[in-house]
């Protein structure tokens, strides 16, 4: 039976980390809300569902429901051949994915530092301050860490964890894609400062299934409703 | 062999969710940094460790290293009898813990909406705006969700998931404790609005091992270096 992915139909957002894994694996799945948004909403508003998700993304696999991107990937990874086999590596993959989660939240908060419920225009001044700190301090802190992990992989510096492609590699690809879209000026020296991550980004983009997906209509374009938004005034100036 | 927990020695912070689980279970563990801070720092600065944590907390279990509170709890839960046995429930426990993680980050950002690297005093105006939104919108959104999950538990409304105490119940206790400390005015009507969560909070506080822990010196007091901080100007006014 096909996996059912539930996520908003007009943004990449947090669902994209799951979409990329399903696509890379060539897994049989339905992107439910892109055909019928009401199925997603009725789940969130269900009065009886005991395993209620807080928010999308969530995945249905037969009777099983799993929510939160990192949780879905931990569940799905071994089933679709995108997780390491050994226990230490599997928990490390999840730890890396949780750092990805934290990073994505910080990216979101560059444009929404005060409240998700307010428009960007109503928190633009705070957004400029937060973005400057993000580019000066937070982005380097996370990228230094991810580069170090990659370079130190005992199986060689081609994957974030283990000797084969995993969902963490796909998430790193998505992060670099998103940063290139949102902060093109700040990202200019990226490949020089983070050669391992830049090489991984290139390799994942050339992966047969990933490349086909990126060219397809199934890939939603980046836009200013998602997590990674291009507001030139938040990018590095000059 | 005793579990080794690594976390900052002067705050409850994100480590407290793990401490509470170890304490409730009566597990054999060492709170390493409270005896020797250098062991924590040398791990974070290690030039060779392949399974490098991004930040504390992390846990060592013999040769295995696991970082991120939710990941540690997912690893530890089954070993110390604080996780449900069935797959669906175990992934649901992890999903709930990841919502706890998200909530804790939002609590942190009430006092640090612009930058962790700046003092609170340098972002006080933004903190007031963010806290108001937090109390008006985010806190109710999360608590409505957690209350609904609790009330809807097929095993009865005494636990967040499954029929027995789990690490998620302990984390809910900690969240209510923290909110009571940080936002006493805003929390005044809590028990009326969220009777299930209030009852769970009371029951966990009376759990034999938890009660003994809370009275011990091992429990660090809440303070203004942690996640939950009491700044009266950020609480509900009037």
């Amino acid at each position: 039976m096909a996996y059912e992915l539930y996520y908003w139909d007009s943004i990449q957002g947090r669902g994209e980390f799951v979409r990329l894994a399903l696509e890379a694996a060539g897994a049989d799945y339905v992107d439910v809300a892109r055909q019928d948004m009401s199925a997603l909403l009725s789940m969130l508003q269900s009065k009886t569902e005991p395993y209620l998700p807080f928010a999308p993304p969530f995945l249905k696999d037969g009777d099983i429901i799993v929510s939160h991107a990192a949780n879905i990937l931990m569940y799905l990874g071994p089933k679709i051949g995108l997780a390491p086999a050994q226990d230490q590596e599997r928990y490390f993959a999840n730890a890396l994915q949780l750092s990805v989660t934290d990073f994505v939240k910080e990216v979101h908060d560059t444009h929404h530092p005060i409240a998700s419920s307010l428009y960007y225009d109503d928190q633009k001044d705070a957004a400029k301050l937060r973005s400057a700190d993000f580019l000066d301090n937070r982005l380097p802190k996370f990228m230094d860490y991810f580069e170090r992990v990659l370079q130190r992989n005992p199986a060689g510096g081609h994957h974030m964890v283990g000797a084969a492609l995993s969902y963490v590699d796909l998430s790193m690809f998505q992060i670099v894609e998103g940063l290139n879209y949102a902060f093109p000026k700040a990202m200019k020296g990226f490949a020089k400062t983070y050669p391992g991550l830049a090489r991984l980004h290139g390799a994942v983009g050339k992966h047969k299934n990933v490349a086909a997906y990126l060219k397809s209509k199934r890939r939603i374009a980046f836009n200013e409703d998602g997590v990674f938004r291009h507001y030139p005034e938040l990018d590095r100036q000059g």
Side-chain angles (χ1 to χ4, degrees), chain A:
Chain A
M1 201 158 76
Y3 295 110
E4 294 180 7
L5 172 65
Y6 291 74
Y7 195 65
W8 307 116
D9 60 352
S10 58
I11 57 168
Q12 292 183 14
R14 289 167 176 85
E16 195 63 17
F17 299 96
V18 183
R19 281 197 191 105
L20 272 170
L22 291 164
E23 290 283 348
D28 185 15
Y29 82 103
V30 184
D31 201 338
V32 176
R34 295 188 72 184
Q35 301 174 9
D36 175 13
M37 194 59 165
S38 66
L40 185 155
L41 297 174
S42 76
M43 171 63 103
L44 291 179
Q45 290 154 6
S46 160
K47 301 244 182 277
T48 52
E49 174 56 52
Y51 305 113
L52 190 70
F54 181 74
F58 52 93
L59 182 89
K60 276 203 197 179
D61 177 17
D63 287 339
I64 297 237
I65 300 176
V66 184
S67 59
H68 282 276
N71 197 25
I72 297 171
L73 290 168
M74 200 180 192
Y75 172 83
L76 208 52
K79 294 182 196 291
I80 61 176
L82 285 174
Q86 188 229 41
D87 249 20
Q88 168 68 81
E89 290 183 343
R90 205 168 275 190
Y91 281 98
F92 189 52
N94 190 42
L96 292 171
Q97 194 65 39
L98 291 173
S99 288
V100 166
T101 303
D102 289 346
F103 183 73
V104 165
K105 170 73 173 150
E106 298 205 18
V107 169
H108 169 271
D109 282 7
T110 59
H111 48 78
H112 278 77
I114 302 297
S116 303
S117 57
L118 291 176
Y119 289 113
Y120 163 63
D121 277 333
D122 296 330
Q123 49 195 312
K124 214 182 211 175
D125 291 342
K128 283 181 189 169
L129 292 172
R130 178 137 187 170
S131 295
D133 178 76
F134 173 79
L135 296 177
D136 287 348
N137 297 313
R138 302 303 292 172
L139 187 147
K141 185 175 164 77
F142 276 92
M143 293 305 135
D144 287 353
Y145 170 71
F146 289 131
E147 178 78 17
R148 209 152 58 228
V149 165
L150 182 63
Q151 299 287 1
R152 205 178 284 174
N153 183 345
H158 295 288
H159 298 287
M160 291 300 292
V161 52
L165 185 75
S166 79
Y167 64 79
V168 184
D169 295 323
L170 298 165
S171 292
M172 287 311 307
F173 165 81
Q174 175 66 7
I175 275 186
V176 177
E177 280 289 293
L179 291 172
N180 280 336
Y181 173 79
F183 303 104
K185 286 187 178 174
M187 287 295 282
K188 258 179 197 159
F190 188 82
K192 221 176 225 173
T193 316
Y194 305 108
L197 295 177
R199 193 179 57 224
L200 177 63
H201 171 254
V204 170
K206 287 192 197 88
H207 179 282
K208 197 181 146 213
N209 287 356
V210 174
Y213 166 61
L214 295 175
K215 272 188 275 180
S216 77
K217 285 189 180 163
R218 299 189 303 284
R219 172 81 163 183
I220 299 166
F222 284 109
N223 62 56
E224 280 56 56
D225 294 315
V227 168
F228 293 98
R229 302 188 186 186
H230 180 52
Y231 294 132
E233 63 275 20
L234 301 186
D235 198 359
R236 187 85 73 203
Q237 298 308 306

